[in-house]
Every structure is written in C-alpha cells, then in structure tokens.
Amino acid sequence: SVLNPTVQPVFSNYQGDLKRLYVYSERLLLTLSYIGFFLTPLLFFTSEEIVLILFGDKWHESIIYFQILSISVFAQLIDSSSGAIMQSANEPKKLFNSGIICAFINIISIIIGAVVFKSVFYLSILMVIAFVLNLIVSLIYIYKMVFRAGLNKIGSLFFMPICACIIVVFALLVISPLCNSFNIIVSFVIKIVVAIIAYSTFLILAK
C-alpha cells in the first residue's frame, strides 16, 4: 500500500499513546471512507466511458468486469490503511494474523472463481466479496483487538459516507440514461459533475 510508508512514520509517534493514535486512526479511516464511497458509485456508473476512452471499442466486453470490480474500491481504499495503523500500535502479530486470514479469503475466492466456476465474471464477483471481507476482518482487528473499542464504532464511523454514497447512486441512476445521447467524453464529464454536486450538497446539508 502507498499509504503505509507515508502514514506509518507519522502514526508511530503516537505508539505509546493509544488514545491519540485511535483518534488519528479514526480521522484517517473517515477520510478514506469519504473518498472511497464517492469513487465507488462514480467508477461504477462511468465504467463504460473509462474503458472506451482509455482502451477503445475492442475492450467493450471488459466493461462489465470493470464495473463489478469498481464496487470494491471503497473496501480496498479503506483497508489500505490497516497495516499502517496496526504497525503504529506496535501490533505486528495482529497484523500478521489478519493478513493470514485475508490471504486465505483471497485464495479461496480465486480458486472458486477460476477453478470451480472457470468464469471471469464469477471471479470478479468473488474478488469483490473477498475485498469486503478483508475490510471487515481488518476493522475487527483494529477496533476490537488493537484499540479495544466496540464494534458499534464502525457503524457510526461509516454511516455518513454510506448515506452520501446512496445519494450519488440515485443521482447517477437518474442522469445516466440521459447521457446516452451524448458522446463518451461529454457523458463522462456530466456524470462526474453530477456526482460531485450530489455528494457535496448532501455533506453540506447534513452538517
């Protein structure tokens, strides 16, 4: 993760103060969740535009896989901070244990998708499930085992970002059919602008 070498040296300054480390960790997780829950619906609804702009019409069949995998963006982004947080808390064993569990989940998902179903479609779905499960495992380790906090803190932390995400989903559901009459670039820009307006408006009104 790019975040680990950036965040860990800063967070390590609070290694002996779990209360302060907890506060800063929550701020980091909240920031990443706001970014992740914005990018997830945006990438999902602009999958066609992104693939066609970057790779052309020959890659049209890959749009569905990009769309499926985009659902896991929030999970991957938030989970990218877990290693830095656990290292900063001086909990390498818990980081190792959570890593083993996550690796096991990933391997099982790949085996089922690639070997059992032999389908890129099902593999994509299973990888999304695996990424979400990895995030859940990491959050349980961070909150329950590192900071000894209640798991209800997780729900309260992600409540607002998830609500904002739902607003963006509804906004893009409404605007997407209207964008079909425009070319790809115009459609891409319109969806980005609508997503930003919907997301920021909700956050401002919700304060």
Side-chain angles (χ1 to χ4, degrees):
S1 170
V2 177
L3 277 176
N4 282 0
T6 307
V7 174
Q8 201 273 327
V10 178
F11 276 23
S12 61
N13 295 325
Y14 310 109
Q15 194 173 87
D17 189 350
L18 278 183
K19 287 185 178 180
R20 288 188 70 183
L21 182 59
Y22 174 76
V23 171
Y24 288 117
S25 296
E26 276 218 317
R27 288 180 185 175
L28 175 62
L29 290 170
L30 184 60
T31 300
L32 292 175
S33 67
Y34 273 119
I35 297 171
F37 281 111
F38 171 73
L39 289 177
T40 295
L42 179 61
L43 291 174
F44 181 87
F45 283 97
T46 59
S47 296
E48 181 176 2
E49 288 87 347
I50 291 172
V51 171
L52 296 181
I53 290 171
L54 293 177
F55 306 109
D57 293 334
K58 292 182 179 179
W59 288 78
H60 202 279
E61 292 183 1
S62 66
I63 293 172
I64 183 63
Y65 309 124
F66 185 94
Q67 199 167 40
I68 293 170
L69 291 171
S70 69
I71 299 172
S72 68
V73 167
F74 79 93
Q76 294 184 67
L77 188 59
I78 299 170
D79 194 30
S80 66
S81 64
S82 61
I85 293 172
M86 283 189 264
Q87 283 180 339
S88 300
N90 197 25
E91 294 285 2
K93 288 185 179 179
K94 291 181 174 62
L95 176 60
F96 177 78
N97 292 339
S98 65
I100 290 293
I101 296 172
C102 291
F104 177 76
I105 292 171
N106 290 341
I107 291 169
I108 292 299
S109 300
I110 293 171
I111 290 174
I112 294 174
V115 178
V116 177
F117 287 110
K118 297 179 180 178
S119 165
V120 179
F121 178 79
Y122 286 110
L123 177 60
S124 300
I125 293 174
L126 287 164
M127 289 311 300
V128 169
I129 295 171
F131 288 132
V132 174
L133 290 176
N134 288 346
L135 174 61
I136 292 171
V137 170
S138 296
L139 290 175
I140 290 173
Y141 266 84
I142 289 171
Y143 277 85
K144 195 71 177 176
M145 300 183 183
V146 174
F147 293 120
R148 303 289 192 274
L151 294 180
N152 61 307
K153 296 285 186 179
I154 300 174
S156 60
L157 181 70
F158 296 132
F159 178 74
M160 285 298 291
I162 290 173
C163 289
C165 177
I166 293 171
I167 296 299
V168 175
V169 169
F170 278 118
L172 291 175
L173 274 173
V174 171
I175 201 67
S176 290
L178 303 176
C179 291
N180 292 334
S181 58
F182 299 107
N183 66 52
I184 296 172
I185 302 217
V186 173
S187 173
F188 184 55
V189 172
I190 290 173
K191 289 179 182 178
I192 291 175
V193 172
V194 168
I196 291 173
I197 292 173
Y199 202 69
S200 56
T201 302
F202 173 81
L203 294 180
I204 292 169
L205 294 176
K207 283 187 178 180

